[in-house]
Amino acid sequence: MITRQLGSEVRWMLRRPRTIIGLFGLVLVPIIISFGIWTADGDGGGPGLAAILKGNGLVVSVFTLFLSLNLLLPLVASIWAADGLAGESQHGTLRGLLVAPVSRVRLLFVKLFGVAALSLLAVTLMAVVGMVAGTAFLGNDGMMTLSGNTLSTGEGLLRIAFFIVLVTFQMVAVGSIALAISSTTEHPLVVQAATMTGIIVFQVLGQFQSLDWLHPFLITTGFPGLVDVMRDPMPLDQIWDSTLLAGCYLLIGTGLAAARLITKDN
């Protein structure tokens, strides 16, 4: 039964027009970036990852996901989470699910699985399109790292796969917080606005040196550390800290959503 429920949830999410439109918009991002770097003058487009994009098409995948992690990916995760509970409540279908002979914790797990599955699909699509578009526009002579070393194509693909997992986990953590908010309202737009406001406020707070004591508790603080996958050898300290922080947000968001869903009457 649980397998059918999970499959049904994913199919239902994929049939929504806004899901298809959102995925289509996300895959356009690496294409636009690749074309923009291809038409630009100079060796690169800026500092950091942008400086090594010329002639390194595989880097486009990591660069695109890294940029999107600050706004676009949390946005689509919040949309999917908002539709999961608040959207169901708005259309009156959540009441039927709550009175059904199915554990409410299982219901929450199914909704979280849907967010995770769509997040993995979105991140993977962006990475694959980034590799294809990057190779087509910028070429592929392996993957140059931020350390100045050049990895083989096979090693580069492994780094990209690892980065896909890391970014997806960050999205699921954001989605769990959005699910917690979604369990308290009938309006999906409220969930999206609250989640994105939190992401933006966290990023603003991260710019103040006087709030150094607060930075380790902000999920957005861990985003820059994920770029360490582009170093050789790859340091794991910041990657581990970022993943651990996201895991804490995942537990908190899921716990709050479960507590609210268990006591929800309608």
Side-chain angles (χ1 to χ4, degrees):
M1 180 179 294
I2 186 64
T3 303
R4 293 198 300 270
Q5 290 175 337
L6 296 177
S8 176
E9 178 69 15
V10 174
R11 288 193 299 271
W12 176 76
M13 296 178 71
L14 287 174
R15 285 198 298 266
R16 291 199 300 257
R18 56 182 167 271
T19 299
I20 303 302
I21 294 173
L23 292 175
F24 180 75
L26 289 176
V27 299
L28 286 179
V29 177
I31 298 176
I32 294 173
I33 289 177
S34 300
F35 180 77
I37 298 297
W38 177 62
T39 57
D41 295 328
D43 295 330
L49 287 173
I52 59 174
L53 285 176
K54 281 287 189 177
N56 290 277
L58 293 180
V59 182
V60 172
S61 296
V62 178
F63 181 67
T64 302
L65 292 176
F66 184 69
L67 288 183
S68 302
L69 187 57
N70 292 308
L71 186 62
L72 290 179
L73 291 177
L75 175 61
V76 295
S78 67
I79 292 174
W80 295 328
D83 285 334
L85 293 177
E88 295 266 21
S89 181
Q90 184 182 52
H91 291 91
T93 55
L94 183 60
R95 181 175 298 179
L97 293 175
L98 294 179
V99 299
V102 176
S103 167
R104 296 188 177 190
V105 174
R106 173 181 287 190
L107 174 62
L108 177 62
F109 173 75
V110 170
K111 296 299 182 181
L112 183 61
F113 177 83
V115 174
L118 266 293
S119 299
L120 178 60
L121 175 61
V123 173
T124 303
L125 282 176
M126 291 185 73
V128 172
V129 173
M131 286 187 287
V132 174
T135 300
F137 284 106
L138 306 176
N140 177 21
D141 295 324
M143 175 184 280
M144 179 179 291
T145 66
L146 292 174
S147 304
N149 302 331
T150 300
L151 304 176
S152 65
T153 300
E155 292 174 322
L157 293 177
L158 289 177
R159 294 289 183 98
I160 293 173
F162 183 46
F163 196 66
I164 288 174
V165 174
L166 293 175
V167 172
T168 300
F169 190 72
Q170 298 289 330
M171 282 188 66
V172 174
V174 173
S176 68
I177 299 298
L179 272 178
I181 302 173
S182 184
S183 66
T184 65
T185 180
E186 297 179 348
H187 306 287
L189 287 178
V190 173
V191 180
Q192 300 167 30
T195 304
M196 295 313 300
T197 298
I199 292 293
I200 294 172
V201 169
F202 280 11
Q203 291 177 349
V204 172
L205 293 176
Q207 302 302 314
F208 291 96
Q209 296 299 325
S210 58
L211 297 177
D212 285 346
W213 59 271
L214 183 61
H215 294 172
F217 302 99
L218 306 178
I219 189 172
T220 54
T221 304
F223 292 171
L226 298 180
V227 79
D228 281 348
V229 299
M230 289 300 299
R231 304 187 189 278
D232 188 40
M234 181 171 58
L236 296 176
D237 292 344
Q238 293 191 68
I239 293 176
W240 167 249
D241 291 343
S242 176
T243 304
L244 181 62
L245 182 60
C248 292
Y249 273 85
L250 176 61
L251 291 177
I252 293 172
T254 305
L256 292 175
R260 172 58 181 161
L261 203 59
I262 289 173
T263 58
K264 194 175 181 66
D265 296 325
N266 52 56

